[in-house]
Amino acid sequence: MEVVESLPDLVLKCKNAFAKEFGCDPIVGAKAPGRVNIIGEHTDYNDGYVFPMAIPLYSVMVGRYNGTSKIRIATSAEVDNPKRVEFDTPSKENPLTQGEPKWANYVKGVLHHFSHDISGFDAFIISNVPLGGGLSSSASVEVVTCTFLEALTGKSLLLADKALLCQKAEHTFANMPCGIMDQFISCMGKANSALLIDCRSLETKTVTLEGGKSDVDDSVAFLVVNSNVKHQLSGSEYPQRRGDCFKAAELLGVKSLRDANMTALRDKRDELGERVYKRGLHVVSEIERCTKAVKAIEERQLEELGRLMYQSHVSLRDLYEVSCPELDELVDITMITPGVYGSRMTGGGFGGCIVALVKASQAPKIVEEIHKNYSKKATCYVFNGVDGASQIQL
Ligand code: GLA
């Protein structure tokens, strides 16, 4: 099992890196977690339900005003070079624009939407959320930037507004038309819990996942397995899927696929065409699976939850076509490994991770089986839910 660097260690590393880079100590800091989505995939931009959990992998940002009209940001993350950028403080007349290096666009996008009136500052960003691993590395960078800016300027945002601002940054500066799930859970995660999010009303329900008094028996765990195949979502696939969904909704005469049902889809099958029909089938069934899964957790029907997870994977693989051979291979391995209730690919797809519901006592054995049978090198974690983003006292 992967041993994850603790948050205090990560913060210390970030403070030291800042001091080395800028020659003084940082004054303000922030952290924002990554996430794993338990079920409800590619439903958020269809106004549906999602069920993510914030995980103890974080982006951390520390810094201070520098008394100049320059903003200087550095990172130690494994990103495209250069690892340090410098630009003029933005103004209404001279707003920020996207450019190279790409990693800085997440930071610039948030800055752009946060304020046009900010003094020069220096900051350092560190993250142990694997890049392109489907655990929301980009949302955690956006949310940590926004939380850092709140700490720096004293201006604070409502959590939902903060998540929406970060989503807008991703749309406008990273060209990725994502839904709201990742930014939302990074802002609003709760310790030992997952969050059922209604992506239409933005209402949330906290479902506790650990301990004797909880909704899930404490003898189960969520095992996250990184296939170590990097996904690349800003490519054409994600916007294409989104486009197919919007087309389906339009042809069905509904606002979004949240309002569609199986009968309506079947009735319009010819008009939709096979591809759009399949996308619709996935989304409509996945929204239903997500609410059923939460009910199953609340009623401790773990076999049922496991079944729903497997069904979700098959639907993502065959109908939505966003899986890849390595993710399928990992799910296949878990299917024949004792102690696994169910598993599925998690996140946008085309690489990244699977999430499996397992008997906690058998997790080490299951990990062993995965390492033995997977054709590439997997990284395995067991996570509990953690709280969402916050400022940190340095
Ligand atoms: C990515 C997007 C999310 C969501 C998932 C798929 O992570 O950022 O908004 O659409 O894919 O569920």
Side-chain angles (χ1 to χ4, degrees):
M1 207 84 63
E2 201 64 17
V3 180
V4 170
E5 189 168 29
S6 75
L7 180 61
D9 284 353
L10 203 63
V11 172
L12 186 64
K13 220 188 213 178
C14 199
K15 279 169 72 175
N16 290 339
F18 179 94
K20 195 160 169 228
E21 187 78 25
F22 299 107
C24 55
D25 288 330
I27 295 176
V28 296
K31 61 136 187 355
R35 64 99 186 94
V36 61
N37 188 22
I38 296 168
I39 198 161
E41 216 66 82
H42 288 280
T43 49
D44 58 353
Y45 50 86
N46 290 298
D47 286 345
Y49 290 97
V50 291
F51 190 47
M53 170 172 97
I55 55 174
L57 294 177
Y58 295 95
S59 291
V60 169
M61 185 168 182
V62 301
R64 64 190 289 167
Y65 284 123
N66 60 21
T68 75
S69 59
K70 298 276 183 208
I71 293 172
R72 302 184 295 181
I73 319 265
T75 183
S76 60
E78 293 203 353
V79 289
D80 46 336
N81 282 319
K83 293 194 178 194
R84 174 170 164 154
V85 287
E86 177 171 331
F87 46 90
D88 291 332
T89 50
S91 62
K92 270 222 159 62
E93 303 70 48
N94 208 359
L96 291 173
T97 50
Q98 60 188 135
E100 296 290 330
K102 290 205 172 55
W103 64 266
N105 288 329
Y106 299 105
V107 180
K108 285 186 189 167
V110 172
L111 252 166
H112 176 78
H113 294 293
F114 187 85
S115 169
H116 285 314
D117 181 24
I118 192 152
S119 308
F121 67 87
D122 296 334
F124 204 99
I125 303 176
I126 267 185
S127 183
N128 62 2
V129 188
L131 297 180
L135 299 177
S136 272
S137 51
S138 40
S140 76
V141 169
E142 289 149 10
V143 173
V144 83
T145 303
C146 200
T147 312
F148 170 85
L149 291 174
E150 291 179 295
L152 191 71
T153 62
K155 167 181 165 183
S156 65
L157 302 174
L158 294 174
L159 289 183
D161 292 343
K162 183 161 141 181
L164 289 164
L165 183 155
C166 292
Q167 181 197 28
K168 205 160 152 200
E170 180 133 357
H171 286 197
T172 53
F173 275 65
N175 304 331
M176 159 65 180
C178 62
I180 190 60
M181 168 168 70
D182 304 348
Q183 293 77 7
F184 220 76
I185 187 68
S186 185
C187 289
M188 301 204 188
K190 290 267 184 324
N192 301 323
S193 308
L195 228 57
L196 174 67
I197 306 170
D198 178 336
C199 299
R200 170 167 274 172
S201 66
L202 295 188
E203 278 165 24
T204 59
K205 179 176 177 183
T206 305
V207 181
T208 308
L209 296 173
E210 194 208 49
K213 56 191 178 318
S214 70
D215 299 310
V216 164
D217 195 273
D218 62 357
S219 62
V220 297
F222 285 104
L223 176 68
V224 175
V225 184
N226 192 345
S227 67
N228 288 316
V229 174
K230 291 208 175 186
H231 74 161
Q232 183 46 273
L233 274 183
S234 327
S236 50
E237 299 288 352
Y238 189 95
Q240 272 172 18
R241 297 298 182 285
R242 195 179 149 107
D244 285 348
C245 292
F246 292 175
K247 186 167 174 208
E250 195 188 317
L251 291 172
L252 293 170
V254 290
K255 190 161 170 281
S256 65
L257 284 179
R258 168 77 176 268
D259 305 312
N261 58 47
M262 292 296 186
T263 319
L265 275 169
R266 281 190 201 108
D267 288 350
K268 293 254 176 174
R269 184 170 183 162
D270 288 345
E271 207 179 315
L272 295 170
E274 201 52 21
R275 193 190 71 230
V276 174
Y277 171 69
K278 285 200 306 193
R279 308 297 189 240
L281 278 187
H282 165 72
V283 172
V284 171
S285 62
E286 183 76 358
I287 292 174
E288 202 180 306
R289 274 191 291 274
C290 189
T291 50
K292 279 190 183 159
V294 173
K295 191 160 171 278
I297 287 191
E298 287 170 343
E299 292 172 359
R300 294 177 184 239
Q301 304 290 333
L302 301 174
E303 273 87 12
E304 168 68 1
L305 175 56
R307 238 186 333 267
L308 291 163
M309 289 173 81
Y310 281 139
Q311 282 171 8
S312 167
H313 184 77
V314 169
S315 180
L316 287 157
R317 184 189 67 196
D318 299 345
L319 299 174
Y320 219 62
E321 297 176 286
V322 290
S323 188
C324 68
E326 291 84 354
L327 293 172
D328 296 342
E329 186 189 343
L330 285 170
V331 169
D332 288 348
I333 294 169
T334 63
M335 283 183 112
I336 50 163
T337 304
V340 180
Y341 290 99
S343 73
R344 55 182 288 279
M345 56 152 277
T346 180
F350 304 107
C353 295
I354 67 157
V355 57
L357 178 69
V358 304
K359 290 191 174 139
S361 59
Q362 301 202 37
K365 183 89 193 55
I366 296 166
V367 168
E368 224 174 85
E369 285 299 305
I370 289 170
H371 287 314
K372 202 164 79 197
N373 294 305
Y374 180 46
S375 59
K376 298 204 164 128
K377 199 181 156 358
T379 314
C380 302
Y381 313 86
V382 167
F383 291 129
N384 280 330
V386 297
D387 286 327
S390 65
Q391 300 179 19
I392 38 186
Q393 299 306 323
L394 299 181

